Short mmCIF file of all heavy atoms in Angstrom, two decimals:
data_model
loop_
_atom_site.label_atom_id
_atom_site.label_comp_id
_atom_site.label_asym_id
_atom_site.label_seq_id
_atom_site.Cartn_x
_atom_site.Cartn_y
_atom_site.Cartn_z
N THR A 1 10.02 16.69 -1.65
CA THR A 1 11.06 17.49 -0.99
C THR A 1 10.97 18.96 -1.37
O THR A 1 10.94 19.83 -0.51
CB THR A 1 12.46 16.95 -1.35
OG1 THR A 1 12.61 15.63 -0.84
CG2 THR A 1 13.55 17.82 -0.76
N CYS A 2 10.93 19.25 -2.67
CA CYS A 2 10.91 20.67 -3.09
C CYS A 2 9.69 21.39 -2.54
O CYS A 2 9.79 22.55 -2.13
CB CYS A 2 10.91 20.74 -4.62
SG CYS A 2 12.47 20.21 -5.40
N LEU A 3 8.55 20.71 -2.52
CA LEU A 3 7.32 21.37 -2.03
C LEU A 3 7.16 21.25 -0.54
O LEU A 3 6.19 21.77 0.03
CB LEU A 3 6.12 20.74 -2.73
CG LEU A 3 6.11 20.89 -4.28
CD1 LEU A 3 4.94 20.14 -4.89
CD2 LEU A 3 6.07 22.36 -4.68
N ALA A 4 8.11 20.52 0.14
CA ALA A 4 8.09 20.36 1.58
C ALA A 4 6.74 19.81 2.07
O ALA A 4 6.13 20.33 3.01
CB ALA A 4 8.39 21.69 2.29
N LEU A 5 6.28 18.76 1.40
CA LEU A 5 4.99 18.19 1.78
C LEU A 5 5.05 17.65 3.20
O LEU A 5 6.05 17.04 3.60
CB LEU A 5 4.62 17.06 0.81
CG LEU A 5 4.48 17.44 -0.65
CD1 LEU A 5 3.97 16.27 -1.46
CD2 LEU A 5 3.55 18.65 -0.82
N PRO A 6 4.00 17.83 3.97
CA PRO A 6 4.00 17.35 5.36
C PRO A 6 4.02 15.83 5.40
O PRO A 6 3.42 15.17 4.53
CB PRO A 6 2.71 17.92 5.95
CG PRO A 6 1.82 18.13 4.77
CD PRO A 6 2.72 18.49 3.63
N PRO A 7 4.71 15.24 6.35
CA PRO A 7 4.75 13.76 6.44
C PRO A 7 3.35 13.17 6.49
O PRO A 7 2.43 13.77 7.09
CB PRO A 7 5.51 13.51 7.75
CG PRO A 7 6.34 14.74 7.94
CD PRO A 7 5.52 15.86 7.40
N ASP A 8 3.18 12.02 5.89
CA ASP A 8 1.89 11.33 5.89
C ASP A 8 1.77 10.57 7.21
O ASP A 8 1.95 9.33 7.28
CB ASP A 8 1.79 10.39 4.69
CG ASP A 8 0.37 9.90 4.43
OD1 ASP A 8 -0.45 10.00 5.36
OD2 ASP A 8 0.09 9.45 3.32
N ASP A 9 1.47 11.30 8.26
CA ASP A 9 1.41 10.70 9.60
C ASP A 9 0.41 9.55 9.69
O ASP A 9 0.66 8.55 10.37
CB ASP A 9 1.07 11.77 10.65
CG ASP A 9 2.19 12.78 10.85
OD1 ASP A 9 3.34 12.44 10.58
OD2 ASP A 9 1.88 13.93 11.23
N ALA A 10 -0.72 9.70 9.00
CA ALA A 10 -1.75 8.65 9.07
C ALA A 10 -1.21 7.33 8.52
O ALA A 10 -1.44 6.27 9.11
CB ALA A 10 -3.00 9.09 8.29
N PHE A 11 -0.49 7.38 7.39
CA PHE A 11 0.03 6.14 6.80
C PHE A 11 1.15 5.58 7.67
O PHE A 11 1.24 4.37 7.87
CB PHE A 11 0.55 6.42 5.38
CG PHE A 11 1.02 5.20 4.65
CD1 PHE A 11 0.16 4.14 4.39
CD2 PHE A 11 2.35 5.08 4.25
CE1 PHE A 11 0.61 3.01 3.73
CE2 PHE A 11 2.81 3.95 3.58
CZ PHE A 11 1.91 2.92 3.31
N GLU A 12 2.00 6.44 8.19
CA GLU A 12 3.10 5.97 9.04
C GLU A 12 2.55 5.32 10.30
O GLU A 12 3.09 4.31 10.78
CB GLU A 12 4.02 7.13 9.35
CG GLU A 12 4.82 7.62 8.14
CD GLU A 12 5.79 8.74 8.46
OE1 GLU A 12 6.26 8.80 9.62
OE2 GLU A 12 6.11 9.55 7.57
N LYS A 13 1.50 5.89 10.87
CA LYS A 13 0.91 5.32 12.08
C LYS A 13 0.18 4.01 11.76
O LYS A 13 0.12 3.10 12.59
CB LYS A 13 -0.04 6.31 12.73
CG LYS A 13 0.65 7.50 13.37
CD LYS A 13 -0.34 8.52 13.91
CE LYS A 13 0.39 9.71 14.53
NZ LYS A 13 -0.57 10.76 14.99
N MET A 14 -0.38 3.93 10.56
CA MET A 14 -1.11 2.72 10.16
C MET A 14 -0.22 1.49 10.24
O MET A 14 -0.62 0.41 10.65
CB MET A 14 -1.69 2.87 8.76
CG MET A 14 -2.56 1.70 8.34
SD MET A 14 -3.15 1.84 6.64
CE MET A 14 -1.72 1.28 5.73
N ALA A 15 1.06 1.69 9.83
CA ALA A 15 2.00 0.55 9.84
C ALA A 15 2.26 0.06 11.25
O ALA A 15 2.69 -1.09 11.43
CB ALA A 15 3.31 0.98 9.18
N GLN A 16 2.03 0.93 12.24
CA GLN A 16 2.27 0.54 13.64
C GLN A 16 0.98 0.05 14.32
O GLN A 16 1.04 -0.44 15.46
CB GLN A 16 2.79 1.77 14.42
CG GLN A 16 4.00 2.44 13.80
CD GLN A 16 5.23 1.59 13.83
OE1 GLN A 16 5.36 0.71 14.68
NE2 GLN A 16 6.17 1.83 12.91
N ASN A 17 -0.15 0.18 13.64
CA ASN A 17 -1.43 -0.18 14.23
C ASN A 17 -1.50 -1.69 14.49
O ASN A 17 -1.23 -2.50 13.60
CB ASN A 17 -2.55 0.23 13.25
CG ASN A 17 -3.93 0.07 13.86
OD1 ASN A 17 -4.28 -1.01 14.35
ND2 ASN A 17 -4.71 1.15 13.84
N PRO A 18 -1.85 -2.10 15.73
CA PRO A 18 -1.93 -3.53 16.04
C PRO A 18 -2.86 -4.31 15.11
O PRO A 18 -2.59 -5.46 14.77
CB PRO A 18 -2.45 -3.54 17.47
CG PRO A 18 -2.04 -2.21 18.04
CD PRO A 18 -2.14 -1.25 16.90
N ILE A 19 -3.94 -3.67 14.69
CA ILE A 19 -4.89 -4.36 13.80
C ILE A 19 -4.23 -4.60 12.44
O ILE A 19 -4.35 -5.68 11.85
CB ILE A 19 -6.19 -3.53 13.64
CG1 ILE A 19 -6.91 -3.44 15.00
CG2 ILE A 19 -7.09 -4.16 12.59
CD1 ILE A 19 -8.16 -2.60 14.96
N VAL A 20 -3.51 -3.56 11.94
CA VAL A 20 -2.82 -3.72 10.65
C VAL A 20 -1.73 -4.79 10.78
O VAL A 20 -1.53 -5.61 9.87
CB VAL A 20 -2.23 -2.37 10.19
CG1 VAL A 20 -1.35 -2.58 8.96
CG2 VAL A 20 -3.33 -1.39 9.90
N LYS A 21 -1.04 -4.79 11.93
CA LYS A 21 -0.02 -5.83 12.14
C LYS A 21 -0.65 -7.20 12.08
O LYS A 21 -0.05 -8.14 11.51
CB LYS A 21 0.67 -5.60 13.49
CG LYS A 21 1.57 -4.38 13.54
CD LYS A 21 2.23 -4.26 14.91
CE LYS A 21 3.12 -3.04 14.98
NZ LYS A 21 3.76 -2.90 16.31
N LEU A 22 -1.83 -7.34 12.68
CA LEU A 22 -2.51 -8.63 12.68
C LEU A 22 -2.87 -9.08 11.29
O LEU A 22 -2.73 -10.26 10.94
CB LEU A 22 -3.75 -8.54 13.57
CG LEU A 22 -4.59 -9.82 13.72
CD1 LEU A 22 -3.78 -10.91 14.40
CD2 LEU A 22 -5.88 -9.53 14.50
N PHE A 23 -3.35 -8.13 10.48
CA PHE A 23 -3.80 -8.46 9.11
C PHE A 23 -2.76 -8.05 8.07
O PHE A 23 -3.10 -7.88 6.89
CB PHE A 23 -5.14 -7.77 8.83
CG PHE A 23 -6.27 -8.31 9.63
CD1 PHE A 23 -6.72 -7.65 10.77
CD2 PHE A 23 -6.90 -9.49 9.28
CE1 PHE A 23 -7.75 -8.15 11.53
CE2 PHE A 23 -7.94 -10.00 10.02
CZ PHE A 23 -8.39 -9.33 11.15
N ARG A 24 -1.50 -7.90 8.49
CA ARG A 24 -0.45 -7.45 7.59
C ARG A 24 -0.35 -8.29 6.31
O ARG A 24 -0.23 -7.73 5.21
CB ARG A 24 0.88 -7.43 8.32
CG ARG A 24 2.04 -6.88 7.50
CD ARG A 24 3.30 -6.83 8.36
NE ARG A 24 3.22 -5.76 9.32
CZ ARG A 24 3.89 -5.74 10.49
NH1 ARG A 24 4.66 -6.75 10.83
NH2 ARG A 24 3.80 -4.69 11.28
N PRO A 25 -0.39 -9.62 6.39
CA PRO A 25 -0.31 -10.41 5.14
C PRO A 25 -1.44 -10.07 4.16
O PRO A 25 -1.22 -9.99 2.96
CB PRO A 25 -0.40 -11.85 5.63
CG PRO A 25 0.10 -11.81 7.03
CD PRO A 25 -0.39 -10.50 7.57
N LEU A 26 -2.65 -9.84 4.71
CA LEU A 26 -3.79 -9.50 3.85
C LEU A 26 -3.62 -8.12 3.23
O LEU A 26 -3.87 -7.92 2.03
CB LEU A 26 -5.09 -9.57 4.64
CG LEU A 26 -6.36 -9.22 3.89
CD1 LEU A 26 -6.57 -10.19 2.73
CD2 LEU A 26 -7.57 -9.25 4.82
N VAL A 27 -3.18 -7.14 4.05
CA VAL A 27 -2.98 -5.78 3.55
C VAL A 27 -1.89 -5.78 2.47
O VAL A 27 -2.05 -5.15 1.41
CB VAL A 27 -2.62 -4.81 4.70
CG1 VAL A 27 -2.29 -3.44 4.16
CG2 VAL A 27 -3.75 -4.73 5.71
N SER A 28 -0.80 -6.49 2.74
CA SER A 28 0.30 -6.56 1.76
C SER A 28 -0.18 -7.22 0.46
O SER A 28 0.14 -6.76 -0.62
CB SER A 28 1.47 -7.33 2.36
OG SER A 28 2.52 -7.44 1.44
N TRP A 29 -0.93 -8.30 0.61
CA TRP A 29 -1.47 -9.00 -0.57
C TRP A 29 -2.38 -8.07 -1.39
O TRP A 29 -2.29 -8.02 -2.63
CB TRP A 29 -2.25 -10.22 -0.11
CG TRP A 29 -2.92 -10.97 -1.23
CD1 TRP A 29 -2.38 -11.92 -2.05
CD2 TRP A 29 -4.29 -10.80 -1.66
NE1 TRP A 29 -3.32 -12.37 -2.96
CE2 TRP A 29 -4.48 -11.71 -2.75
CE3 TRP A 29 -5.34 -10.00 -1.25
CZ2 TRP A 29 -5.72 -11.80 -3.41
CZ3 TRP A 29 -6.56 -10.08 -1.92
CH2 TRP A 29 -6.74 -10.99 -2.99
N LYS A 30 -3.21 -7.29 -0.70
CA LYS A 30 -4.13 -6.39 -1.38
C LYS A 30 -3.35 -5.30 -2.12
O LYS A 30 -3.68 -4.96 -3.29
CB LYS A 30 -5.07 -5.75 -0.36
CG LYS A 30 -6.02 -4.70 -0.94
CD LYS A 30 -6.95 -5.28 -1.98
CE LYS A 30 -7.95 -4.23 -2.48
NZ LYS A 30 -8.79 -4.73 -3.59
N MET A 31 -2.31 -4.76 -1.51
CA MET A 31 -1.50 -3.73 -2.17
C MET A 31 -0.85 -4.29 -3.44
O MET A 31 -0.83 -3.65 -4.47
CB MET A 31 -0.42 -3.22 -1.22
CG MET A 31 -0.96 -2.39 -0.07
SD MET A 31 0.29 -2.00 1.20
CE MET A 31 1.47 -1.03 0.24
N ARG A 32 -0.36 -5.52 -3.33
CA ARG A 32 0.31 -6.13 -4.46
C ARG A 32 -0.67 -6.44 -5.58
O ARG A 32 -0.38 -6.20 -6.75
CB ARG A 32 1.04 -7.39 -4.01
CG ARG A 32 1.80 -8.07 -5.13
CD ARG A 32 2.73 -9.13 -4.63
NE ARG A 32 3.51 -9.73 -5.70
CZ ARG A 32 4.53 -10.52 -5.53
NH1 ARG A 32 4.93 -10.80 -4.29
NH2 ARG A 32 5.18 -11.02 -6.55
N LYS A 33 -1.83 -6.97 -5.22
CA LYS A 33 -2.83 -7.31 -6.24
C LYS A 33 -3.32 -6.07 -6.98
O LYS A 33 -3.59 -6.10 -8.19
CB LYS A 33 -4.00 -8.07 -5.62
CG LYS A 33 -3.67 -9.51 -5.26
CD LYS A 33 -3.25 -10.30 -6.49
CE LYS A 33 -2.86 -11.71 -6.18
NZ LYS A 33 -2.40 -12.45 -7.38
N THR A 34 -3.46 -4.94 -6.26
CA THR A 34 -3.90 -3.71 -6.86
C THR A 34 -2.86 -3.27 -7.90
O THR A 34 -3.20 -2.88 -9.04
CB THR A 34 -4.08 -2.61 -5.82
OG1 THR A 34 -5.08 -3.01 -4.89
CG2 THR A 34 -4.51 -1.30 -6.45
N ALA A 35 -1.58 -3.34 -7.54
CA ALA A 35 -0.51 -2.96 -8.47
C ALA A 35 -0.45 -3.91 -9.65
O ALA A 35 -0.24 -3.52 -10.80
CB ALA A 35 0.83 -2.93 -7.74
N GLU A 36 -0.65 -5.21 -9.40
CA GLU A 36 -0.61 -6.19 -10.48
C GLU A 36 -1.73 -5.93 -11.50
O GLU A 36 -1.52 -6.15 -12.71
CB GLU A 36 -0.74 -7.60 -9.92
CG GLU A 36 0.54 -8.10 -9.24
CD GLU A 36 0.36 -9.45 -8.58
OE1 GLU A 36 -0.80 -9.94 -8.51
OE2 GLU A 36 1.37 -10.02 -8.12
N SER A 37 -2.87 -5.45 -11.04
CA SER A 37 -3.95 -5.15 -11.99
C SER A 37 -3.58 -3.98 -12.89
O SER A 37 -3.98 -3.95 -14.05
CB SER A 37 -5.25 -4.87 -11.23
OG SER A 37 -5.18 -3.62 -10.54
N ASN A 38 -2.80 -3.03 -12.35
CA ASN A 38 -2.34 -1.91 -13.20
C ASN A 38 -1.40 -2.41 -14.29
O ASN A 38 -1.48 -1.96 -15.44
CB ASN A 38 -1.63 -0.88 -12.34
CG ASN A 38 -2.49 -0.29 -11.26
OD1 ASN A 38 -3.70 -0.14 -11.46
ND2 ASN A 38 -1.90 0.06 -10.14
N VAL A 39 -0.50 -3.32 -13.93
CA VAL A 39 0.43 -3.88 -14.91
C VAL A 39 -0.34 -4.69 -15.95
O VAL A 39 -0.03 -4.61 -17.15
CB VAL A 39 1.49 -4.74 -14.20
CG1 VAL A 39 2.34 -5.51 -15.23
CG2 VAL A 39 2.40 -3.86 -13.34
N ALA A 40 -1.33 -5.43 -15.51
CA ALA A 40 -2.11 -6.25 -16.44
C ALA A 40 -2.85 -5.35 -17.45
O ALA A 40 -2.95 -5.69 -18.63
CB ALA A 40 -3.12 -7.09 -15.68
N GLU A 41 -3.32 -4.18 -16.99
CA GLU A 41 -4.03 -3.26 -17.87
C GLU A 41 -3.16 -2.74 -18.98
O GLU A 41 -3.60 -2.50 -20.09
CB GLU A 41 -4.60 -2.09 -17.08
CG GLU A 41 -5.99 -2.32 -16.56
CD GLU A 41 -6.61 -1.05 -16.02
OE1 GLU A 41 -6.16 0.05 -16.37
OE2 GLU A 41 -7.54 -1.17 -15.22
N ILE A 42 -1.89 -2.50 -18.65
CA ILE A 42 -1.00 -1.87 -19.64
C ILE A 42 -0.23 -2.91 -20.45
O ILE A 42 0.47 -2.58 -21.39
CB ILE A 42 -0.01 -0.91 -18.89
CG1 ILE A 42 0.40 0.22 -19.81
CG2 ILE A 42 1.19 -1.64 -18.33
CD1 ILE A 42 1.04 1.39 -19.10
N ASP A 43 -0.37 -4.18 -20.11
CA ASP A 43 0.30 -5.24 -20.83
C ASP A 43 -0.20 -5.27 -22.28
O ASP A 43 -1.38 -5.12 -22.55
CB ASP A 43 0.02 -6.60 -20.16
CG ASP A 43 0.86 -7.71 -20.75
OD1 ASP A 43 2.01 -7.43 -21.11
OD2 ASP A 43 0.36 -8.84 -20.86
N GLY A 44 0.73 -5.42 -23.19
CA GLY A 44 0.36 -5.47 -24.58
C GLY A 44 0.36 -4.13 -25.28
O GLY A 44 0.06 -4.07 -26.48
N VAL A 45 0.71 -3.05 -24.56
CA VAL A 45 0.82 -1.75 -25.21
C VAL A 45 1.97 -1.80 -26.22
O VAL A 45 3.05 -2.31 -25.91
CB VAL A 45 1.08 -0.63 -24.17
CG1 VAL A 45 1.40 0.69 -24.85
CG2 VAL A 45 -0.13 -0.50 -23.25
N PRO A 46 1.75 -1.30 -27.44
CA PRO A 46 2.82 -1.38 -28.45
C PRO A 46 4.11 -0.71 -27.99
O PRO A 46 4.08 0.25 -27.19
CB PRO A 46 2.20 -0.62 -29.65
CG PRO A 46 0.73 -0.69 -29.45
CD PRO A 46 0.54 -0.69 -27.95
#
């Protein structure tokens, strides 16, 4: 907001893309697995 970054039109349009809609479960799964790997990396930090 402060920097008035331009909207990420490419990402917003991707959500409407028929191909993404078709493979939405796979895309969602991939996003979640990527985030889970980040949590796994930091697990066990004192």
Side-chain angles (χ1 to χ4, degrees):
T1 297
C2 291
L3 300 175
L5 300 185
D8 194 341
D9 292 334
F11 184 61
E12 291 182 27
K13 290 176 181 176
M14 185 184 80
Q16 307 292 335
N17 188 305
I19 296 177
V20 173
K21 289 181 180 179
L22 181 63
F23 292 100
R24 184 176 287 155
L26 179 61
V27 175
S28 179
W29 176 84
K30 176 62 176 174
M31 291 171 62
R32 181 167 183 169
K33 286 299 178 183
T34 300
E36 285 175 352
S37 70
N38 300 327
V39 170
E41 270 191 21
I42 208 164
D43 188 35
V45 172

